[in-house]
Amino acid sequence: MSGNESKFSSELVAKVNELWKRYPHKKAALIPAMHLIQAERDGWFSDETVADTAALFGLPDMHVRGVVGFYDMFHSEPVGRHVVRLCKTLSCKLRGADGLIQHVNERYGVKNGETTQDGCFTFKHFECLGHCANAPMMLVDDEKHLDLTADKLDSVLGGLS
Amino acid sequence: MIQETRAMLEFADDPKQIELATYRKNGGYDAFEKALKEMSPDDVTQEVLKSGLRGRGGAGFPTGRKWQFVPKGNDKPKYIAVNADESEPGTCKDRVIMEQDPHQMLEGTLLAAYAVGATTAYIYIRGEFQKSIRIVEDAIDEARAANLIGKNILGTDFSCDIWVHPGAGAYICGEETALLTSLEGNRGYPRIKPPFPAVEGLWRCPTVVNNVETMACVTQILRRGGDWFAGLGCEGSTGTRLFCLSGHLKRPGVYELECSTDFTLRDVIEQIGGGTLSGAPIQGVMPGGSSFPVLRADELDCGFDIESVAKAGSSLGSGAIMVFDDTVNVRDVVLNISEFYSHESCGQCTPCREGSDWVRRMLKKFQTDGPDEGDIATLMDVTDKMDGTTICALAVAIVWPVQSFLKKYPEAFAEKVTA
Ligand SMILES: Cc1cc2nc3c(=O)[nH]c(=O)nc-3n(C[C@H](O)[C@H](O)[C@H](O)COP(=O)(O)O)c2cc1C
Ligand code: SF4
Ligand code: FES
């Protein structure tokens, strides 16, 4: 069922082969594999990437599409070179998340889900990211930035290209 | 003054504690080795039962009893799934264990696997926790290289593999059956219980689902004894627990505390949390994450243990104590909570899918326009009908906080009377 493996890099296919060994059923490796696939395919799942993923796993396209739609970390639209996730849940809200969201809207001209014109970053409001005692906080790609202020946020985003 | 009791966090401030050599030097894996060589699987379960340990994921189910539900015999493989989805608003403690003392979680996982006869364990870590994922994977690699994980561990006939399984951003996957559905490679839909996972979990095989902190407690119990653990805290809330203090506090943070009926929730907020940052009076507290009823400032003089907080009408839940002062509008607070749950509903059950969004829109209207005559009664009625009519407890995690805010802050939700 996996005749399309060559559509992904050989490194990726090798990693997925390793993942498959961890589970009695290959399907269980889908979400871990989709993280690798999304990273290799510019950070989002196009129809083609969905189809290639489905072929690799021998699953219907609809299954993969459903998984993309269900999980907030998978994207079904193109994203910027960096994804900025700002927490908006209660502990962060109480320590100023609303102000930071407004700051990003005004200074960078992007609202929730939008990408800056230069394609540098996509901005997302996220629900609680598990760092509530260091609120407010954001994730930029995989890096966390805690006890955030507008100044700190600017210096992090200012360093992105 | 209330003091921290550091058992789980004893070595957490040493950056080398994540390395196997340091963990072992500090007594790590001695308990596991002893269990493998000198104790039967049932002895391990008995020690955990004796400790009085209750799960730290939010529901407080006795851990030893959960293990006893796993059917004996070898006809089907058995699994452990460690719940590291940590997404309940206010909760940020499991991450501390994973980032600062990952072997402690792995040792507890191995002990649990030995006790129930599991041969594979998955650590389901929320996908946003990249740092935790890296550190836990490195710890597993080191432990595997030292034959603490894998085949014929330490020369015995016990074999157990452990793998990290990353999630991808969905609160509902913290619910134990949704976690399993997700782990199998699907959208994270909760399943109807019974059957409970201990009987029918991953691939319909017996699966123990336990929280990260629960596993760390298991390590402590086997290291220091079930009697030692039972002697800490108080009846019904034994041992130490990690509490996450957040919101309008002077000293937010993760603290390891013993529960007690000798001091109160208010004492903890004041002495450990330092009171409010601005000095403004407390307006309300969510004592166990946002899924439970709010407590008003005049309801904080209950004892600091599971039973006392339950008697006060809420729950210590996942140990997430969120405090807000009187500078914030409670209508904004409850709207924020409802936005969270309506976003995170998985959509399988109509009362939850439609109800959560309807509640959110109603509270949005309250925030800007205030309630019209009859709105509060309708909202109460709709939320009543969401209670007990759904597959999982996410629906009541909307009902309880929302109803409690309406009841406890009537002045903030005064209806506009039409002339
Ligand atoms: C909506 C919902 C979300 C949950 N989220 C988590 C979570 O993020 N982490 C967790 O450990 N338990 C969570 N739980 C509780 C789990 O279903 C389960 O009770 C727990 O993992 C069992 O572990 P324990 O016995 O060690 O506490 C959640 C429950 C519900 C209903
Ligand atoms: S109660 Fe809500 S979250 Fe739980 S299964 Fe039903 S729709 Fe999904
Ligand atoms: S509320 Fe923002 S990290 Fe938890």
Side-chain angles (χ1 to χ4, degrees):
Chain A
M1 287 296 283
S2 49
N4 286 328
E5 284 181 26
S6 60
K7 295 216 171 158
F8 296 106
S9 70
S10 52
E11 289 91 348
L12 187 140
V13 175
K15 279 188 195 156
V16 174
N17 272 309
E18 285 305 308
L19 288 175
W20 279 335
K21 293 184 193 155
R22 301 179 178 185
Y23 308 93
H25 301 281
K26 282 185 172 183
K27 187 181 176 190
L30 182 63
I31 289 167
M34 282 172 65
H35 282 292
L36 305 172
I37 290 170
Q38 180 167 265
E40 179 163 305
R41 295 287 178 94
D42 297 324
W44 70 292
F45 280 88
S46 63
D47 288 349
E48 192 193 342
T49 301
V50 166
D52 293 345
T53 306
L56 180 63
F57 274 80
L59 291 165
D61 288 12
M62 269 313 288
H63 183 82
V64 175
R65 202 183 307 282
V67 169
V68 172
F70 190 85
Y71 294 95
D72 288 338
M73 292 182 75
F74 295 137
H75 306 128
S76 51
E77 311 245 320
V79 290
R81 293 186 292 282
H82 305 280
V83 178
V84 176
R85 301 183 171 96
L86 186 71
C87 176
K88 61 169 277 277
T89 309
L90 189 56
S91 302
C92 286
K93 177 190 172 66
L94 293 171
R95 311 246 350 169
D98 294 348
L100 293 176
I101 288 173
Q102 201 187 341
H103 175 76
V104 173
N105 291 167
E106 285 166 7
R107 171 140 186 181
Y108 303 90
V110 276
K111 292 206 198 60
N112 187 21
E114 293 178 351
T115 303
T116 49
Q117 287 206 320
D118 59 2
C120 187
F121 73 82
T122 300
F123 178 59
K124 298 217 170 207
H125 300 176
F126 246 63
E127 296 295 355
C128 180
L129 286 162
H131 289 75
C132 323
N134 294 95
M137 64 82 66
M138 68 174 173
L139 285 178
V140 178
D141 303 324
D142 290 346
E143 288 303 314
K144 53 195 182 193
H145 301 276
L146 308 177
D147 304 304
L148 210 55
T149 59
D151 283 346
K152 269 199 201 176
L153 183 145
D154 285 340
S155 72
V156 174
L157 297 195
L160 299 183
S161 56
Chain B
M1 275 303 263
I2 304 167
Q3 300 282 341
E4 271 197 277
T5 306
R6 286 193 156 214
M8 284 180 278
L9 297 184
E10 184 179 1
F11 303 108
D13 290 335
D14 177 357
K16 286 197 167 322
Q17 179 69 7
I18 64 174
E19 294 167 12
L20 181 62
T22 306
Y23 182 73
R24 292 226 69 165
K25 188 182 72 183
N26 290 330
Y29 291 114
D30 289 353
F32 174 53
E33 197 165 346
K34 175 165 173 253
L36 275 189
K37 294 182 174 162
E38 295 168 29
M39 296 168 82
S40 72
D42 196 50
D43 292 342
V44 175
T45 305
Q46 289 304 326
E47 205 62 30
V48 172
L49 280 170
K50 200 200 290 175
S51 75
L53 171 63
R54 294 170 67 170
R56 305 305 200 216
F61 193 83
T63 304
R65 278 199 18 231
K66 184 182 284 188
W67 296 359
Q68 287 181 315
F69 291 145
V70 175
K72 296 252 189 303
N74 273 330
D75 46 336
K76 277 184 173 181
K78 300 178 184 71
Y79 296 99
I80 306 281
V82 180
N83 193 337
D85 193 54
E86 186 144 88
S87 327
E88 173 71 18
T91 317
C92 49
K93 62 184 176 74
D94 298 334
R95 179 182 53 76
V96 171
I97 295 169
M98 291 190 286
E99 290 181 5
Q100 295 172 224
D101 200 347
H103 287 287
Q104 187 177 187
M105 170 187 71
L106 296 178
E107 185 173 359
T109 305
L110 287 163
L111 285 161
Y114 180 67
V116 304
T119 48
T120 310
Y122 298 102
I123 321 279
Y124 186 104
I125 306 183
R126 65 178 298 183
E128 295 93 338
F129 279 0
Q130 282 301 318
K131 184 172 177 191
S132 300
I133 290 172
R134 278 196 301 270
I135 292 176
V136 173
E137 280 186 333
D138 288 349
I140 290 173
D141 287 347
E142 266 203 283
R144 185 175 285 118
N147 190 221
L148 288 157
I149 294 175
K151 290 224 166 16
N152 298 107
I153 294 174
L154 302 176
T156 65
D157 57 9
F158 177 66
S159 298
C160 182
D161 242 317
I162 305 186
W163 305 106
V164 167
H165 185 99
Y171 165 71
I172 193 59
C173 293
E175 195 282 332
E176 58 187 3
T177 60
L179 183 150
L180 301 176
T181 321
S182 172
L183 215 159
E184 291 172 0
N186 306 296
R187 285 180 276 187
Y189 286 155
R191 305 172 183 169
I192 292 171
K193 292 187 271 194
F196 289 92
V199 177
E200 211 176 290
L202 281 172
W203 307 290
R204 311 198 75 173
C205 298
T207 304
V208 167
V209 184
N210 273 135
N211 171 262
V212 171
E213 185 190 343
T214 308
M215 291 308 194
C217 288
V218 168
T219 301
Q220 294 299 327
I221 289 161
L222 272 295
R223 184 179 298 172
R224 305 176 203 240
D227 288 329
W228 163 82
F229 195 88
L232 297 177
C234 60
E235 207 193 324
S237 303
T238 58
T240 60
R241 264 189 88 160
L242 301 183
F243 287 94
C244 319
L245 273 59
S246 73
H248 287 151
L249 289 172
K250 202 171 284 169
R251 289 191 296 272
V254 178
Y255 300 94
E256 185 169 359
L257 303 172
E258 290 176 62
C259 285
S260 172
T261 49
D262 297 337
F263 53 81
T264 64
L265 177 57
R266 187 188 308 281
D267 293 335
V268 171
I269 291 167
E270 283 173 359
Q271 297 177 28
I272 302 288
T276 61
L277 180 63
S278 64
I282 291 172
Q283 186 172 198
V285 175
M286 314 289 300
S290 63
S291 296
F292 296 100
V294 64
L295 294 177
R296 260 188 341 236
D298 58 356
E299 297 175 303
L300 305 178
D301 296 304
C302 55
F304 187 67
D305 67 297
I306 295 177
E307 306 303 331
S308 302
V309 176
K311 269 198 211 117
S314 190
S315 169
L316 272 186
S318 57
I321 302 174
M322 303 152 95
V323 178
F324 54 94
D325 67 25
D326 73 356
T327 61
V328 69
N329 185 333
V330 288
R331 292 200 264 190
D332 293 344
V333 174
V334 71
L335 173 63
N336 183 279
I337 292 170
S338 73
E339 285 170 348
F340 176 84
Y341 293 102
S342 73
H343 178 259
E344 301 297 342
S345 166
C346 84
Q348 280 191 105
C349 321
T350 312
C352 174
R353 181 186 63 242
E354 303 297 325
S356 62
D357 193 54
W358 185 88
V359 168
R360 178 189 62 78
R361 280 183 282 128
M362 194 61 138
L363 291 172
K364 179 82 191 162
K365 176 184 131 178
F366 289 5
Q367 183 200 34
T368 47
D369 303 341
D372 289 313
E373 204 177 340
D375 276 354
I376 301 286
T378 313
L379 184 51
M380 284 298 189
D381 186 44
V382 168
T383 45
D384 275 342
K385 292 191 170 114
M386 292 166 65
D387 190 344
T389 54
T390 59
I391 296 175
C392 88
L394 185 132
V396 292
I398 308 166
V399 175
W400 287 341
V402 167
Q403 291 195 344
S404 71
F405 270 89
L406 297 179
K407 282 184 200 146
K408 293 187 178 183
Y409 301 97
E411 47 319 323
F413 296 96
E415 298 184 345
K416 288 181 288 189
V417 183
T418 42

